[in-house]
Amino acid sequence: VFDSHSHIHINRTTKSIPSGYIAVVQSIEEKDWQKAVEFCEQNPRQFRAAFGIHPWYAHEIISDQLEIKLRTILEAHPLAAVGEIGLCKCAKNVRGPMRESGFTTQLNLMKNQLRIAATFSRSVSIHCVKAHASLLQALEEIKAEQIDEKGANQKIPAIALHSFSGSAHHVKLFLNHFENSLTRIYFGFSHTINVQLNSKPQILEATILAVPDNLLLVESDLDDIALAPNATKKAIAHIARIKGWSLEHTAQLTANNARAWLNDSCVHNSEDGSRIVLDPQQKGNT
């Protein structure tokens, strides 16, 4: 079970770590970056950290200071991803009189973090709620910056759209955008958000069916390690039902996809071939 998007460093209610559970531990604000590092270092075979600022906290950020701090921690942890970043039109910082300025702040913060991810060639996890057109436009801008006169320049290897809230139409738009891109695009689905909070299951089913098999990810999007593994299994079961797959096939496929999204060799099959693990021999493997 490979949970591509969790926050299990935030609210650890148990010291027990389930075997066979792998997770990317996503930060949401600067003050939990070190906590994510410490959590992952306790179990480097199973957990990988991601560093970023969630759009909910965009209004708290001083841009120049963030750039220095994010670059510093990514340099210290060469296998870390960038996340959770993104855009959210439901956030408190885009309500009322802050609506326009707040969203501009979110947008600029996300683009700055994407540029840093490109500089370090790190995979990214993006939160996007009711802002898919703005996200596509921003990604087009970043993509243009990744190409120089000689061809390929600094790039983001892969992006995961976590708990993807778009429709099948949006899937096609993103696939078309990335068709000839240096960056691969993945679509993550959680039971917590996509199923439990979804009033239109037929739209979710069409969305999942529109995603190519090799671009599907599963996630918990939870902050409690006691609950996250089972939530990820529920996401696997939901996709398996829609795709007509076995649970085992769905778990293995999405684990392999998560490995590809992370874009490195430190995620591999265990010696008995039973599951995917993070290589403890790699330095800085948070």
Side-chain angles (χ1 to χ4, degrees):
V1 175
F2 204 130
D3 182 353
S4 64
H5 193 102
S6 78
H7 305 287
I8 50 179
H9 62 301
I10 294 176
N11 180 29
R12 188 170 179 177
T13 58
T14 177
K15 293 183 178 180
S16 175
I17 306 296
S19 62
Y21 171 69
I22 313 298
V24 180
V25 179
Q26 307 270 353
S27 304
I28 56 174
E29 50 185 330
E30 183 196 339
K31 69 181 183 181
D32 75 339
W33 290 357
Q34 188 57 38
K35 191 172 182 180
V37 169
E38 293 170 357
F39 182 92
C40 293
E41 285 180 342
Q42 293 177 16
N43 297 279
R45 290 180 63 86
Q46 293 179 258
F47 303 124
R48 172 80 57 80
F51 308 117
I53 305 295
H54 194 286
W56 292 356
Y57 303 98
H59 60 290
E60 301 175 359
I61 301 304
I62 300 174
S63 181
D64 292 343
Q65 293 182 8
L66 170 71
E67 181 171 343
I68 293 170
K69 292 175 179 178
L70 184 54
R71 286 175 177 271
T72 299
I73 199 164
L74 289 173
E75 286 175 351
H77 300 279
L79 300 181
V82 171
E84 175 181 1
I85 69 174
L87 301 172
C88 184
K89 287 191 174 180
C90 292
K92 291 182 180 179
N93 58 23
V94 294
R95 297 177 187 174
M98 297 175 61
R99 181 175 180 176
E100 292 188 10
S101 63
F103 189 72
T104 298
T105 298
Q106 284 188 15
L107 189 60
N108 289 335
L109 174 64
M110 181 191 70
K111 288 193 288 188
N112 285 340
Q113 292 179 98
L114 286 170
R115 292 186 181 104
I116 293 170
T119 298
F120 287 88
S121 193
R122 303 299 175 88
S123 298
V124 177
S125 183
I126 292 181
H127 169 112
C128 184
V129 175
K130 298 184 177 180
H132 295 98
S134 296
L135 176 59
L136 275 167
Q137 185 175 354
L139 292 174
E140 180 63 33
E141 180 179 331
I142 299 300
K143 183 172 72 172
E145 296 174 3
Q146 293 177 27
I147 304 295
D148 62 15
E149 296 177 355
K150 297 179 182 179
N153 196 1
Q154 297 167 330
K155 70 182 182 71
I156 300 168
I159 291 172
L161 303 177
H162 106 88
S163 287
F164 184 65
S165 60
S167 65
H169 170 70
H170 290 115
V171 170
K172 293 178 182 178
L173 289 177
F174 279 102
L175 291 176
N176 289 337
H177 173 85
F178 285 96
E179 185 175 5
N180 297 310
S181 173
L182 297 169
T183 303
R184 301 184 310 280
I185 187 75
Y186 292 82
F187 301 83
F189 296 93
S190 67
H191 190 271
T192 309
I193 302 297
N194 296 114
V195 180
Q196 288 185 326
L197 301 182
N198 191 346
S199 60
K200 298 179 179 180
Q202 68 277 11
I203 292 179
L204 174 61
E205 181 170 339
T207 302
I208 291 173
L209 289 172
V211 177
D213 298 352
N214 64 328
L215 301 178
L216 277 168
L217 299 175
V218 291
E219 57 180 85
S220 68
D221 199 18
L222 290 179
D223 64 3
D224 191 338
I225 196 170
L227 303 176
N230 192 50
T232 309
K233 290 177 182 178
K234 287 182 178 180
I236 289 170
H238 196 77
I239 288 176
R241 181 187 64 78
I242 290 172
K243 290 281 194 176
W245 296 337
S246 69
L247 294 176
E248 293 77 9
H249 172 77
T250 308
Q252 187 63 59
L253 175 74
T254 53
N256 288 340
N257 291 349
R259 174 188 179 182
W261 164 58
L262 289 173
N263 194 52
D264 59 56
S265 60
C266 66
V267 187
H268 60 82
N269 288 316
S270 59
E271 291 182 0
D272 62 4
S274 62
R275 61 189 178 93
I276 304 296
V277 298
L278 299 183
D279 189 344
Q281 302 304 317
Q282 295 278 352
K283 294 184 179 180
N285 55 343
T286 57

